[in-house]
Amino acid sequence: MLLHLSTWPEVETYLQSSRGIILPIGSTEQHGPTGLIGTDAICAEAIAKGVGETTQALVGPTINVGMALHHMAFPGSMSLRPSTLIAVIQDYLTSLTQAGFQRFFFINGHGGNIATLKAAFSETYHHLALLRIPGAEQVQCKVGNWFMCSSVYNLAKELYGLQEGSHATPSEVALTQYVHPEAIKKAPLSEKVASGYPIYGAADFRRHYPDGRMGSNPALATPTHGKQFYELAVKELSNTYLEFLKKGD
Amino acid sequence: MLLHLSTWPEVETYLQSSRGIILPIGSTEQHGPTGLIGTDAICAEAIAKGVGETTQALVGPTINVGMALHHMAFPGSMSLRPSTLIAVIQDYLTSLTQAGFQRFFFINGHGGNIATLKAAFSETYHHLALLRIPGAEQVQCKVGNWFMCSSVYNLAKELYGLQEGSHATPSEVALTQYVHPEAIKKAPLSEKVASGYPIYGAADFRRHYPDGRMGSNPALATPTHGKQFYELAVKELSNTYLEFLKKGD
Amino acid sequence: MLLHLSTWPEVETYLQSSRGIILPIGSTEQHGPTGLIGTDAICAEAIAKGVGETTQALVGPTINVGMALHHMAFPGSMSLRPSTLIAVIQDYLTSLTQAGFQRFFFINGHGGNIATLKAAFSETYHHLALLRIPGAEQVQCKVGNWFMCSSVYNLAKELYGLQEGSHATPSEVALTQYVHPEAIKKAPLSEKVASGYPIYGAADFRRHYPDGRMGSNPALATPTHGKQFYELAVKELSNTYLEFLKKGD
Amino acid sequence: MLLHLSTWPEVETYLQSSRGIILPIGSTEQHGPTGLIGTDAICAEAIAKGVGETTQALVGPTINVGMALHHMAFPGSMSLRPSTLIAVIQDYLTSLTQAGFQRFFFINGHGGNIATLKAAFSETYHHLALLRIPGAEQVQCKVGNWFMCSSVYNLAKELYGLQEGSHATPSEVALTQYVHPEAIKKAPLSEKVASGYPIYGAADFRRHYPDGRMGSNPALATPTHGKQFYELAVKELSNTYLEFLKKGD
Amino acid sequence: MLLHLSTWPEVETYLQSSRGIILPIGSTEQHGPTGLIGTDAICAEAIAKGVGETTQALVGPTINVGMALHHMAFPGSMSLRPSTLIAVIQDYLTSLTQAGFQRFFFINGHGGNIATLKAAFSETYHHLALLRIPGAEQVQCKVGNWFMCSSVYNLAKELYGLQEGSHATPSEVALTQYVHPEAIKKAPLSEKVASGYPIYGAADFRRHYPDGRMGSNPALATPTHGKQFYELAVKELSNTYLEFLKKGD
Amino acid sequence: MLLHLSTWPEVETYLQSSRGIILPIGSTEQHGPTGLIGTDAICAEAIAKGVGETTQALVGPTINVGMALHHMAFPGSMSLRPSTLIAVIQDYLTSLTQAGFQRFFFINGHGGNIATLKAAFSETYHHLALLRIPGAEQVQCKVGNWFMCSSVYNLAKELYGLQEGSHATPSEVALTQYVHPEAIKKAPLSEKVASGYPIYGAADFRRHYPDGRMGSNPALATPTHGKQFYELAVKELSNTYLEFLKKGD
Ligand code: NI
Ligand code: NI
Ligand code: NI
Ligand code: NI
Ligand code: NI
Ligand code: NI
């Protein structure tokens, strides 16, 4: 059940049986010469919809632009500053908590969002509690990173080994190929690809990762792989979500 | 050309022939008993894609949650505070200006966003200029409100007369029916509907507009109407965008 | 009744019969070669005082510096950033709401303030409601732009036709001449004057409007006209204010 | 020379001979049963105009609402939060520094503003320097508190002794009586008046200072005294301003 | 009793007999060629511990970095912006007020912190009251500047006369020598030392005070003096703290 | 070499041979019935000093209060909001970068700081780069969590097994016992201790972890263990720091 395709009376009804909502969050950032700039948002949104269908959960709108400041030296990348993203999350959860939601499950497509999301959750729990919004003390947030699901991780390792890398990975590219077969890109990829260098500022990132990839060979991706990743992630995160709802009781 | 379905080298190439980008902005808010909560985002995104195709323009990710604080008393509505939305717009445009973009055309689906967008543009011009980011002084922003296109307005008047109303309107509902025929909702709608009362806070809004509609009869909407609105809006806003690019020279 | 010329027990008494207050807001910005930098504040303050006398309403202190970032390339112009102005408005209304005020009528002399004021109202309704300040849900704000009063608009059209323009207009200059006859300025004005170009950043504004006027011929202004504008605006906005108080019941 | 009664070309000319500007800052707060709520703004504005005439300095618009959070339990009082006032000062000085101003002399009517003004100056020097705005390193700010002028202080001591008190003082009331003889208020004043208790929060303040006065007997004020205070303050602050301009060389 | 060396049950017990806490605040800034960069924090922390022992008061963690933007042109100096320091103080006091603390005595080692602390207290009283945190209206803050204790001041005058100066003073250097005899520094000090110039921005400060001292001769400092200053400050501030607790009743 | 025990000329000299600085960051939060509230700051500071001695690195002042909002239901706990901590880090690094520092190694004693630190680093790289502060693009930050050193982790596992837990752990308590043998606390500890429940808001935390411990048995701690942990952490983090400096070249 997608929030965007629901009416407010339907949401009112939904709240009678569940306090949970799934919020996809991605990023808008370079993904190497062949990866889509929307990769992280596309993956998060597709998987969130799948999890929503599997678990009958409401799925909110996708946060398309996340924390990707280190990718800013590549054209087309967009980012919120962490402090802005914290404000966004706080506003989202304030809105939804006032309506009665209490379990927020962020399905995340981008590693760079994780730290800021965690910071935002802390800030929001505090904010809601200080304001004594009814239900504030019951609010719980959780991040589900699809690319860190053990089933996903294992398949990626099996299919790609070390060529999975850590950004513009074949697994995420495969998933976008499955969701958007009309947008499969080809471009020459140097065999040698930088890896292992930590992430600092944007200019430094581009100096060390000149084509945007981090240790990955996205040429290995196929739409069929993508379907496999999609299904594994949906299954695993559906279980995670259901346990999250239960535990919170 | 969708930014999310492009690679960074494609964006780099695009920037050699155009400095313009289209940014859809909607809202996540109640649209009466039958209107979709995502109505404003769905309309903005669909039309933006159409304009992008017509004009060969790059279309960025949709801002799904806008300034809808007055709708907060209806469950499922979400909003940024105006100061948060200003920060979001500033971050978006700082990212894109650094990459070389200079013409930002926001295709907007929600009246409540207009004031904050205008404020955000002023704040951003100033911010970019103070930082002396290359190209800052050439940056120009423009809002295109699809529902205020004269062709759209005239058709709505012709089809619905006064029953168009001003929120949860048959025209916007029709457009969502065209885009999402699988999500056409039915619900009893009182014949009498509040209208003409100004917008203040959220509780006050719900007191005066108890089912969320403002003077509208969305039961008049049909997917066929929606297609007409879509085509008119795409045509008119495509012209607006092309003139915006030219004038800016 | 001017707040600045009242004592707190007088305000306490006033609140027993009215919850309304008038807040003049202007700007400090270039108004062409002959227009006063304080034009917008002078007009708003004078008219607000007139409306206060006519309606027995309390008139608060004038906000002298508004949102005029686009005028910053002309010396003597001053501006708040929109996010600062939002904070200012929120602080003003938080103070006054705590004292029992609930109807805030901003008499505005500057088009550039309108969008930010609207954004600020939304932010403030939300802020006050989240804090559950007593009376928060009854708070209502309204902007009365004296230059957009229909009676003012019609007289300006009659007297000046197209030479009214849209900034440094003869009507606003006339009003300042009426209020400050000791400060009537003379300077050569080119016959040709730029007009019709949209407002973006400050440097761009000055490039397109080199002497600061936007399509106007302020040489047509006379103090006698100013008196007429003053009286029309006071009359029309007094009615607006009284209706605002009533409707809010 | 008042900025509000000047044109931008006049300011441009002024800047060729001086980099200095005077900015009056007051407050909008209770001043006891007979003191005007605008006392601090009225005094600061009147004296600033006098200093401007004496020294040929440009005088900017008055900041009418300052930092008066401790007066909030009395109706009609208004305040900015310190962090808002810092943002306001920063915006003012950023505007004026970009135009070429470098010496900012705040003529202040309210003790409660002093700390925040000092904080704001530090924040602004840093802000302007980080942005490397031309002239940023030459920017200097100074506060002139008219009520702390030694000549003013001595006269108040001579005329009122201990009955001068520290808020709603006869000296400031006298000055407003001189400036606004039409607004001289009468009200019974208890002979006993609280004094010596420090300032904390607003509710605490009103508990300890129930009628708003702090140790003062404003019934001693006369318009003739007010004229004397006015003239002493103008003279002393004019010298202070001229020395400030010189020293800064 | 040091908060950092206590357990939470010990704090719970403490709160049954006292609502007071001492918070040392210093700075991290140049103190001339021989003064320690931590001088202000070292002095504040040492004295705060002494006062805590004398009065059985709880002593919180030291704020090591304060408002020292004007020292930024000397390497090793660190500063918060005033608006950041306000946020820090607000967060500290919100935490502690929620636990039941109501009297906050800041033992301060740096003149540059005073204005921002005062601003922060105002902002915090307001913040806590708006949130209606239990006990908010009883919260009281006070700054005790050890270097402004009359006993300290008199001894400094007696020992050093005018060579005390106002920054990198022999008295504060002496105190650090007493606390950290292992870190007594030697360096040539010009006999002539700048003094009397006001503080503006960082570059301007260094231009006028090239070695960082303001009118002082820290070569006069001895650890024995330091012990004397320490004892005087502890004694005087202990009395101040105890009176502060009493008066607040 | 401690920044607080250095002079600015010594820092100037240091910068000729190294661009690195170590910044200890802890927390002020409950650590169970026997753990010190300052545990995380004490550990971070002690280890940072040790690493500074081992590597000849400059060690800055300790950030005593971190991100511990989830501990707020226990008296004596203090916390910054994440957005405040981001501002603090940004201010620290802006100060130090302007002086020429480029490698910032945070020795961290508190898991709750990690996410916000990472967010702060991203925000700061971006901030410094936008301002084009010289050296901004060379700035690199790194967190070294002493409790996550593999040598520390292994010893804790060996000594305590599962009774190490995850908060108020015997390892961190041991380390404080080594540093502060005068402050070893005794209190009855229930044998059963909660564990495995995720961290959400403060009230929820206390409901699930009623005495503050998370799965730990701090009664196992001894000062001798503490010495071992100290030495392992210093050794391992010294290597980490030296590699960090090298890699950055
Ligand atoms: Ni990705
Ligand atoms: Ni809509
Ligand atoms: Ni105007
Ligand atoms: Ni006063
Ligand atoms: Ni000092
Ligand atoms: Ni710990």
Side-chain angles (χ1 to χ4, degrees), chain E residues 27 29-31 36-41 43 71 109-111 146-147 166-169 172:
Chain E
S27 184
E29 65 186 43
Q30 68 83 14
H31 271 77
L36 306 182
I37 283 173
T39 296
D40 299 349
C43 295
H71 292 296
H110 173 49
W146 77 267
F147 51 94
S166 57
H167 180 66
T169 61
E172 62 181 342

Side-chain angles (χ1 to χ4, degrees), chain E residues 178-246:
Chain E
Y178 169 58
V179 180
H180 284 291
E182 79 282 12
I184 299 179
K185 306 296 168 101
K186 297 271 177 225
L189 290 170
S190 64
E191 204 173 319
K192 211 178 155 189
V193 55
S195 77
Y197 185 80
I199 294 173
Y200 305 113
D204 182 82
F205 184 96
R206 186 151 183 180
R207 265 198 302 276
H208 287 86
Y209 296 108
D211 74 358
R213 291 178 297 151
M214 299 176 78
S216 66
N217 181 4
L220 304 176
T222 71
T224 314
H225 293 168
K227 185 166 188 286
Q228 289 175 276
F229 285 117
Y230 169 80
E231 286 166 357
L232 290 171
V234 167
K235 192 174 170 195
E236 189 166 330
L237 291 177
S238 293
N239 289 334
T240 308
Y241 176 66
L242 293 173
E243 280 164 38
F244 174 52
L245 284 193
K246 256 190 250 158

Side-chain angles (χ1 to χ4, degrees), chain C residues 98 131-133, chain E residues 126 130-132:
Chain C
Q98 287 186 293
L131 290 169
R132 278 164 294 146
I133 291 178
Chain E
H126 174 70
L130 272 187
L131 290 169
R132 277 163 295 146

Side-chain angles (χ1 to χ4, degrees), chain D residues 29 31 39-40 109-110 167-168 172:
Chain D
E29 66 185 45
H31 270 77
T39 296
D40 298 350
H110 173 50
H167 181 66
E172 63 181 343

Side-chain angles (χ1 to χ4, degrees), chain D residues 27 29-31 36 39-41 43 71 109-111 146-147 166-169 172:
Chain D
S27 184
E29 66 185 45
Q30 70 83 14
H31 270 77
L36 306 182
T39 296
D40 298 350
C43 295
H71 292 297
H110 173 50
W146 75 267
F147 51 95
S166 58
H167 181 66
T169 60
E172 63 181 343

